[in-house]
PDB file of all heavy atoms in Angstrom:
ATOM      1  N   ASP A 301     212.695 195.376 -21.122  1.00 96.00           N
ATOM      2  CA  ASP A 301     212.989 194.011 -21.556  1.00 96.00           C
ATOM      3  C   ASP A 301     212.140 193.024 -20.764  1.00 96.00           C
ATOM      4  O   ASP A 301     211.769 193.285 -19.610  1.00 96.00           O
ATOM      5  CB  ASP A 301     214.467 193.684 -21.303  1.00 96.00           C
ATOM      6  CG  ASP A 301     215.363 194.227 -22.409  1.00 96.00           C
ATOM      7  OD1 ASP A 301     214.842 194.746 -23.411  1.00 96.00           O
ATOM      8  OD2 ASP A 301     216.592 194.134 -22.252  1.00 96.00           O
ATOM      9  N   ALA A 302     211.878 191.885 -21.369  1.00 97.00           N
ATOM     10  CA  ALA A 302     211.152 190.822 -20.641  1.00 97.00           C
ATOM     11  C   ALA A 302     212.170 189.956 -19.909  1.00 97.00           C
ATOM     12  O   ALA A 302     213.192 189.590 -20.490  1.00 97.00           O
ATOM     13  CB  ALA A 302     210.357 189.982 -21.624  1.00 97.00           C
ATOM     14  N   GLN A 337     207.249 187.753 -24.204  1.00 98.00           N
ATOM     15  CA  GLN A 337     207.880 186.488 -24.599  1.00 98.00           C
ATOM     16  C   GLN A 337     206.833 185.491 -25.080  1.00 98.00           C
ATOM     17  O   GLN A 337     205.955 185.076 -24.321  1.00 98.00           O
ATOM     18  CB  GLN A 337     208.620 185.879 -23.401  1.00 98.00           C
ATOM     19  CG  GLN A 337     209.786 186.721 -22.916  1.00 98.00           C
ATOM     20  CD  GLN A 337     210.137 186.424 -21.484  1.00 98.00           C
ATOM     21  OE1 GLN A 337     209.257 186.119 -20.662  1.00 98.00           O
ATOM     22  NE2 GLN A 337     211.419 186.508 -21.157  1.00 98.00           N
ATOM     23  N   TYR A 339     207.279 182.395 -25.698  1.00 98.00           N
ATOM     24  CA  TYR A 339     207.414 181.036 -25.155  1.00 98.00           C
ATOM     25  C   TYR A 339     206.632 180.823 -23.863  1.00 98.00           C
ATOM     26  O   TYR A 339     206.483 179.697 -23.397  1.00 98.00           O
ATOM     27  CB  TYR A 339     208.863 180.611 -25.007  1.00 98.00           C
ATOM     28  CG  TYR A 339     209.729 181.299 -23.953  1.00 98.00           C
ATOM     29  CD1 TYR A 339     209.222 182.109 -22.957  1.00 98.00           C
ATOM     30  CD2 TYR A 339     211.100 181.076 -23.961  1.00 98.00           C
ATOM     31  CE1 TYR A 339     210.032 182.691 -22.010  1.00 98.00           C
ATOM     32  CE2 TYR A 339     211.938 181.658 -23.017  1.00 98.00           C
ATOM     33  CZ  TYR A 339     211.399 182.471 -22.049  1.00 98.00           C
ATOM     34  OH  TYR A 339     212.208 183.053 -21.108  1.00 98.00           O
ATOM     35  N   ARG A 364     207.524 194.861 -28.278  1.00 98.00           N
ATOM     36  CA  ARG A 364     208.497 193.982 -28.938  1.00 98.00           C
ATOM     37  C   ARG A 364     208.136 192.529 -28.636  1.00 98.00           C
ATOM     38  O   ARG A 364     208.054 192.129 -27.476  1.00 98.00           O
ATOM     39  CB  ARG A 364     209.899 194.264 -28.414  1.00 98.00           C
ATOM     40  CG  ARG A 364     210.929 193.312 -29.016  1.00 98.00           C
ATOM     41  CD  ARG A 364     212.205 193.241 -28.188  1.00 98.00           C
ATOM     42  NE  ARG A 364     212.832 194.520 -28.072  1.00 98.00           N
ATOM     43  CZ  ARG A 364     213.587 194.885 -27.038  1.00 98.00           C
ATOM     44  NH1 ARG A 364     213.772 194.057 -26.029  1.00 98.00           N
ATOM     45  NH2 ARG A 364     214.139 196.061 -27.001  1.00 98.00           N
ATOM     46  N   VAL A 366     209.225 188.820 -28.629  1.00 98.00           N
ATOM     47  CA  VAL A 366     210.405 187.945 -28.704  1.00 98.00           C
ATOM     48  C   VAL A 366     209.946 186.525 -28.393  1.00 98.00           C
ATOM     49  O   VAL A 366     208.814 186.321 -27.937  1.00 98.00           O
ATOM     50  CB  VAL A 366     211.487 188.374 -27.686  1.00 98.00           C
ATOM     51  CG1 VAL A 366     211.941 189.793 -27.942  1.00 98.00           C
ATOM     52  CG2 VAL A 366     210.989 188.222 -26.250  1.00 98.00           C
ATOM     53  N   LYS A 367     210.816 185.576 -28.621  1.00 97.00           N
ATOM     54  CA  LYS A 367     210.429 184.202 -28.237  1.00 97.00           C
ATOM     55  C   LYS A 367     210.767 183.948 -26.772  1.00 97.00           C
ATOM     56  O   LYS A 367     210.022 183.285 -26.067  1.00 97.00           O
ATOM     57  CB  LYS A 367     211.093 183.208 -29.176  1.00 97.00           C
ATOM     58  CG  LYS A 367     210.473 183.303 -30.572  1.00 97.00           C
ATOM     59  CD  LYS A 367     210.958 182.284 -31.537  1.00 97.00           C
ATOM     60  CE  LYS A 367     210.360 182.601 -32.918  1.00 97.00           C
ATOM     61  NZ  LYS A 367     211.013 181.865 -33.994  1.00 97.00           N
ATOM     62  N   GLY A 368     211.874 184.499 -26.297  1.00 96.00           N
ATOM     63  CA  GLY A 368     212.213 184.354 -24.891  1.00 96.00           C
ATOM     64  C   GLY A 368     213.603 183.790 -24.717  1.00 96.00           C
ATOM     65  O   GLY A 368     213.992 182.857 -25.418  1.00 96.00           O
ATOM     66  N   ALA A 369     214.330 184.373 -23.761  1.00 93.00           N
ATOM     67  CA  ALA A 369     215.751 184.052 -23.639  1.00 93.00           C
ATOM     68  C   ALA A 369     216.097 183.206 -22.417  1.00 93.00           C
ATOM     69  O   ALA A 369     217.258 182.924 -22.179  1.00 93.00           O
ATOM     70  CB  ALA A 369     216.545 185.348 -23.602  1.00 93.00           C
ATOM     71  N   TRP A 371     214.753 180.120 -21.485  1.00 94.00           N
ATOM     72  CA  TRP A 371     214.017 178.852 -21.560  1.00 94.00           C
ATOM     73  C   TRP A 371     214.598 177.793 -20.626  1.00 94.00           C
ATOM     74  O   TRP A 371     213.875 177.160 -19.851  1.00 94.00           O
ATOM     75  CB  TRP A 371     213.996 178.346 -23.009  1.00 94.00           C
ATOM     76  CG  TRP A 371     213.090 177.176 -23.209  1.00 94.00           C
ATOM     77  CD1 TRP A 371     211.745 177.211 -23.362  1.00 94.00           C
ATOM     78  CD2 TRP A 371     213.460 175.797 -23.257  1.00 94.00           C
ATOM     79  NE1 TRP A 371     211.243 175.942 -23.508  1.00 94.00           N
ATOM     80  CE2 TRP A 371     212.278 175.054 -23.445  1.00 94.00           C
ATOM     81  CE3 TRP A 371     214.681 175.115 -23.152  1.00 94.00           C
ATOM     82  CZ2 TRP A 371     212.273 173.669 -23.535  1.00 94.00           C
ATOM     83  CZ3 TRP A 371     214.679 173.732 -23.249  1.00 94.00           C
ATOM     84  CH2 TRP A 371     213.482 173.025 -23.437  1.00 94.00           C
ATOM     85  N   PHE A 389     206.397 176.928 -23.158  1.00 96.00           N
ATOM     86  CA  PHE A 389     206.174 175.783 -24.031  1.00 96.00           C
ATOM     87  C   PHE A 389     207.403 174.883 -23.986  1.00 96.00           C
ATOM     88  O   PHE A 389     208.519 175.359 -23.782  1.00 96.00           O
ATOM     89  CB  PHE A 389     205.923 176.260 -25.467  1.00 96.00           C
ATOM     90  CG  PHE A 389     204.598 176.936 -25.631  1.00 96.00           C
ATOM     91  CD1 PHE A 389     204.511 178.320 -25.711  1.00 96.00           C
ATOM     92  CD2 PHE A 389     203.429 176.191 -25.697  1.00 96.00           C
ATOM     93  CE1 PHE A 389     203.277 178.944 -25.844  1.00 96.00           C
ATOM     94  CE2 PHE A 389     202.197 176.816 -25.833  1.00 96.00           C
ATOM     95  CZ  PHE A 389     202.124 178.195 -25.905  1.00 96.00           C
ATOM     96  N   THR A 390     207.172 173.610 -24.189  1.00 96.00           N
ATOM     97  CA  THR A 390     208.312 172.696 -24.123  1.00 96.00           C
ATOM     98  C   THR A 390     208.695 172.177 -25.499  1.00 96.00           C
ATOM     99  O   THR A 390     209.631 171.403 -25.620  1.00 96.00           O
ATOM    100  CB  THR A 390     208.018 171.520 -23.176  1.00 96.00           C
ATOM    101  OG1 THR A 390     206.899 170.803 -23.696  1.00 96.00           O
ATOM    102  CG2 THR A 390     207.734 171.996 -21.777  1.00 96.00           C
ATOM    103  N   GLU A 391     207.953 172.548 -26.519  1.00 94.00           N
ATOM    104  CA  GLU A 391     208.328 172.203 -27.891  1.00 94.00           C
ATOM    105  C   GLU A 391     208.575 173.503 -28.641  1.00 94.00           C
ATOM    106  O   GLU A 391     207.770 174.442 -28.550  1.00 94.00           O
ATOM    107  CB  GLU A 391     207.194 171.420 -28.581  1.00 94.00           C
ATOM    108  CG  GLU A 391     206.943 170.043 -28.001  1.00 94.00           C
ATOM    109  CD  GLU A 391     208.047 169.053 -28.343  1.00 94.00           C
ATOM    110  OE1 GLU A 391     208.704 169.222 -29.396  1.00 94.00           O
ATOM    111  OE2 GLU A 391     208.271 168.126 -27.550  1.00 94.00           O
ATOM    112  N   LYS A 392     209.665 173.505 -29.381  1.00 95.00           N
ATOM    113  CA  LYS A 392     210.030 174.716 -30.123  1.00 95.00           C
ATOM    114  C   LYS A 392     208.908 175.158 -31.072  1.00 95.00           C
ATOM    115  O   LYS A 392     208.608 176.354 -31.181  1.00 95.00           O
ATOM    116  CB  LYS A 392     211.321 174.415 -30.889  1.00 95.00           C
ATOM    117  CG  LYS A 392     211.719 175.402 -31.951  1.00 95.00           C
ATOM    118  CD  LYS A 392     212.396 176.607 -31.347  1.00 95.00           C
ATOM    119  CE  LYS A 392     213.088 177.456 -32.397  1.00 95.00           C
ATOM    120  NZ  LYS A 392     212.246 178.003 -33.421  1.00 95.00           N
ATOM    121  N   THR A 395     206.354 177.274 -29.383  1.00 97.00           N
ATOM    122  CA  THR A 395     206.778 178.674 -29.201  1.00 97.00           C
ATOM    123  C   THR A 395     206.583 179.442 -30.502  1.00 97.00           C
ATOM    124  O   THR A 395     206.086 180.574 -30.513  1.00 97.00           O
ATOM    125  CB  THR A 395     208.255 178.725 -28.769  1.00 97.00           C
ATOM    126  OG1 THR A 395     208.374 178.133 -27.475  1.00 97.00           O
ATOM    127  CG2 THR A 395     208.771 180.149 -28.706  1.00 97.00           C
ATOM    128  N   THR A 419     213.205 188.699 -34.160  1.00 97.00           N
ATOM    129  CA  THR A 419     213.524 187.295 -34.421  1.00 97.00           C
ATOM    130  C   THR A 419     214.578 187.221 -35.510  1.00 97.00           C
ATOM    131  O   THR A 419     214.686 188.138 -36.338  1.00 97.00           O
ATOM    132  CB  THR A 419     212.270 186.504 -34.850  1.00 97.00           C
ATOM    133  OG1 THR A 419     212.662 185.173 -35.218  1.00 97.00           O
ATOM    134  CG2 THR A 419     211.569 187.137 -36.045  1.00 97.00           C
ATOM    135  N   HIS A 420     215.342 186.136 -35.489  1.00 95.00           N
ATOM    136  CA  HIS A 420     216.330 185.904 -36.547  1.00 95.00           C
ATOM    137  C   HIS A 420     215.883 184.774 -37.451  1.00 95.00           C
ATOM    138  O   HIS A 420     216.602 184.360 -38.342  1.00 95.00           O
ATOM    139  CB  HIS A 420     217.682 185.547 -35.919  1.00 95.00           C
ATOM    140  CG  HIS A 420     218.096 186.517 -34.874  1.00 95.00           C
ATOM    141  ND1 HIS A 420     218.002 186.245 -33.531  1.00 95.00           N
ATOM    142  CD2 HIS A 420     218.546 187.790 -34.975  1.00 95.00           C
ATOM    143  CE1 HIS A 420     218.395 187.294 -32.838  1.00 95.00           C
ATOM    144  NE2 HIS A 420     218.730 188.247 -33.687  1.00 95.00           N
ATOM    145  N   ASN A 421     214.729 184.238 -37.168  1.00 97.00           N
ATOM    146  CA  ASN A 421     214.260 183.040 -37.851  1.00 97.00           C
ATOM    147  C   ASN A 421     213.604 183.425 -39.181  1.00 97.00           C
ATOM    148  O   ASN A 421     212.573 184.123 -39.209  1.00 97.00           O
ATOM    149  CB  ASN A 421     213.251 182.342 -36.923  1.00 97.00           C
ATOM    150  CG  ASN A 421     212.793 181.021 -37.470  1.00 97.00           C
ATOM    151  OD1 ASN A 421     212.617 180.867 -38.673  1.00 97.00           O
ATOM    152  ND2 ASN A 421     212.590 180.059 -36.585  1.00 97.00           N
ATOM    153  N   GLN A 442     213.243 193.465 -35.713  1.00 97.00           N
ATOM    154  CA  GLN A 442     214.411 193.713 -34.856  1.00 97.00           C
ATOM    155  C   GLN A 442     215.326 192.495 -34.863  1.00 97.00           C
ATOM    156  O   GLN A 442     214.862 191.356 -34.970  1.00 97.00           O
ATOM    157  CB  GLN A 442     213.972 193.996 -33.417  1.00 97.00           C
ATOM    158  CG  GLN A 442     213.158 195.269 -33.270  1.00 97.00           C
ATOM    159  CD  GLN A 442     213.028 195.732 -31.820  1.00 97.00           C
ATOM    160  OE1 GLN A 442     213.369 195.008 -30.897  1.00 97.00           O
ATOM    161  NE2 GLN A 442     212.524 196.938 -31.651  1.00 97.00           N
ATOM    162  N   GLU A 486     221.761 180.151 -26.163  1.00 74.00           N
ATOM    163  CA  GLU A 486     220.396 180.215 -26.657  1.00 74.00           C
ATOM    164  C   GLU A 486     220.320 179.835 -28.131  1.00 74.00           C
ATOM    165  O   GLU A 486     219.428 179.110 -28.565  1.00 74.00           O
ATOM    166  CB  GLU A 486     219.984 181.660 -26.467  1.00 74.00           C
ATOM    167  CG  GLU A 486     218.628 182.073 -26.829  1.00 74.00           C
ATOM    168  CD  GLU A 486     218.578 183.582 -26.581  1.00 74.00           C
ATOM    169  OE1 GLU A 486     218.767 184.001 -25.431  1.00 74.00           O
ATOM    170  OE2 GLU A 486     218.393 184.327 -27.551  1.00 74.00           O
ATOM    171  N   SER A 491     217.804 173.134 -31.662  1.00 83.00           N
ATOM    172  CA  SER A 491     216.512 173.548 -32.206  1.00 83.00           C
ATOM    173  C   SER A 491     216.540 174.985 -32.723  1.00 83.00           C
ATOM    174  O   SER A 491     215.595 175.435 -33.359  1.00 83.00           O
ATOM    175  CB  SER A 491     215.451 173.443 -31.111  1.00 83.00           C
ATOM    176  OG  SER A 491     215.798 174.319 -30.064  1.00 83.00           O
ATOM    177  N   SER A 492     217.622 175.717 -32.445  1.00 88.00           N
ATOM    178  CA  SER A 492     217.621 177.136 -32.790  1.00 88.00           C
ATOM    179  C   SER A 492     217.819 177.369 -34.289  1.00 88.00           C
ATOM    180  O   SER A 492     218.598 176.668 -34.947  1.00 88.00           O
ATOM    181  CB  SER A 492     218.725 177.833 -32.000  1.00 88.00           C
ATOM    182  OG  SER A 492     219.331 178.830 -32.777  1.00 88.00           O
ATOM    183  N   PHE A 493     217.148 178.363 -34.794  1.00 91.00           N
ATOM    184  CA  PHE A 493     217.227 178.650 -36.229  1.00 91.00           C
ATOM    185  C   PHE A 493     218.648 179.039 -36.622  1.00 91.00           C
ATOM    186  O   PHE A 493     219.180 178.573 -37.626  1.00 91.00           O
ATOM    187  CB  PHE A 493     216.255 179.779 -36.602  1.00 91.00           C
ATOM    188  CG  PHE A 493     216.295 180.080 -38.064  1.00 91.00           C
ATOM    189  CD1 PHE A 493     215.550 179.333 -38.964  1.00 91.00           C
ATOM    190  CD2 PHE A 493     217.124 181.078 -38.574  1.00 91.00           C
ATOM    191  CE1 PHE A 493     215.615 179.577 -40.327  1.00 91.00           C
ATOM    192  CE2 PHE A 493     217.200 181.331 -39.934  1.00 91.00           C
ATOM    193  CZ  PHE A 493     216.440 180.578 -40.820  1.00 91.00           C
TER     194      PHE A 493
HETATM  195  C1  FAD B1101     215.888 192.653 -30.664  1.00 63.96           C
HETATM  196  C2  FAD B1101     215.756 191.546 -29.697  1.00 63.96           C
HETATM  197  C3  FAD B1101     215.433 191.815 -28.380  1.00 63.96           C
HETATM  198  C4  FAD B1101     215.263 190.780 -27.477  1.00 63.96           C
HETATM  199  N1  FAD B1101     214.843 191.062 -26.195  1.00 63.96           N
HETATM  200  C5  FAD B1101     214.538 190.039 -25.382  1.00 63.96           C
HETATM  201  C6  FAD B1101     213.937 190.271 -24.107  1.00 63.96           C
HETATM  202  O1  FAD B1101     213.661 191.394 -23.709  1.00 63.96           O
HETATM  203  N2  FAD B1101     213.666 189.212 -23.315  1.00 63.96           N
HETATM  204  C7  FAD B1101     213.917 187.924 -23.729  1.00 63.96           C
HETATM  205  O2  FAD B1101     213.607 186.989 -22.978  1.00 63.96           O
HETATM  206  N3  FAD B1101     214.483 187.689 -24.920  1.00 63.96           N
HETATM  207  C8  FAD B1101     214.807 188.693 -25.747  1.00 63.96           C
HETATM  208  N4  FAD B1101     215.365 188.427 -26.970  1.00 63.96           N
HETATM  209  C9  FAD B1101     215.824 187.054 -27.307  1.00 63.96           C
HETATM  210  C10 FAD B1101     214.706 186.263 -27.908  1.00 63.96           C
HETATM  211  O3  FAD B1101     213.807 185.951 -26.879  1.00 63.96           O
HETATM  212  C11 FAD B1101     215.139 184.936 -28.545  1.00 63.96           C
HETATM  213  O4  FAD B1101     215.780 184.148 -27.590  1.00 63.96           O
HETATM  214  C12 FAD B1101     216.072 185.053 -29.676  1.00 63.96           C
HETATM  215  O5  FAD B1101     215.720 186.109 -30.467  1.00 63.96           O
HETATM  216  C13 FAD B1101     216.039 183.765 -30.500  1.00 63.96           C
HETATM  217  O6  FAD B1101     214.792 183.602 -31.117  1.00 63.96           O
HETATM  218  P1  FAD B1101     214.666 183.522 -32.711  1.00 63.96           P
HETATM  219  O7  FAD B1101     213.277 183.729 -33.095  1.00 63.96           O
HETATM  220  O8  FAD B1101     215.651 184.442 -33.274  1.00 63.96           O
HETATM  221  O9  FAD B1101     215.199 182.061 -33.031  1.00 63.96           O
HETATM  222  P2  FAD B1101     214.478 180.652 -33.068  1.00 63.96           P
HETATM  223  O10 FAD B1101     215.592 179.681 -33.221  1.00 63.96           O
HETATM  224  O11 FAD B1101     213.377 180.565 -34.014  1.00 63.96           O
HETATM  225  O12 FAD B1101     213.854 180.492 -31.620  1.00 63.96           O
HETATM  226  C14 FAD B1101     214.622 180.164 -30.517  1.00 63.96           C
HETATM  227  C15 FAD B1101     213.778 180.315 -29.321  1.00 63.96           C
HETATM  228  O13 FAD B1101     212.845 179.225 -29.224  1.00 63.96           O
HETATM  229  C16 FAD B1101     212.629 178.887 -27.888  1.00 63.96           C
HETATM  230  N5  FAD B1101     212.811 177.440 -27.733  1.00 63.96           N
HETATM  231  C17 FAD B1101     213.929 176.685 -27.936  1.00 63.96           C
HETATM  232  N6  FAD B1101     213.703 175.397 -27.656  1.00 63.96           N
HETATM  233  C18 FAD B1101     212.420 175.308 -27.268  1.00 63.96           C
HETATM  234  C19 FAD B1101     211.587 174.228 -26.842  1.00 63.96           C
HETATM  235  N7  FAD B1101     212.019 172.959 -26.774  1.00 63.96           N
HETATM  236  N8  FAD B1101     210.325 174.506 -26.507  1.00 63.96           N
HETATM  237  C20 FAD B1101     209.843 175.755 -26.564  1.00 63.96           C
HETATM  238  N9  FAD B1101     210.578 176.817 -26.955  1.00 63.96           N
HETATM  239  C21 FAD B1101     211.854 176.597 -27.290  1.00 63.96           C
HETATM  240  C22 FAD B1101     213.627 179.650 -27.073  1.00 63.96           C
HETATM  241  O14 FAD B1101     213.002 180.701 -26.432  1.00 63.96           O
HETATM  242  C23 FAD B1101     214.611 180.221 -28.051  1.00 63.96           C
HETATM  243  O15 FAD B1101     215.059 181.455 -27.707  1.00 63.96           O
HETATM  244  C24 FAD B1101     215.501 189.449 -27.889  1.00 63.96           C
HETATM  245  C25 FAD B1101     215.845 189.184 -29.213  1.00 63.96           C
HETATM  246  C26 FAD B1101     215.965 190.199 -30.112  1.00 63.96           C
HETATM  247  C27 FAD B1101     216.292 189.873 -31.519  1.00 63.96           C
END
Side-chain angles (χ1 to χ4, degrees):
D301 278 354
Q337 295 157 326
Y339 69 12
R364 177 200 300 152
V366 300
K367 290 186 186 166
W371 189 80
F389 289 103
T390 62
E391 293 288 332
K392 167 80 167 60
T395 294
T419 174
H420 309 103
N421 185 323
Q442 295 195 349
E486 182 183 299
S491 62
S492 143
F493 181 84

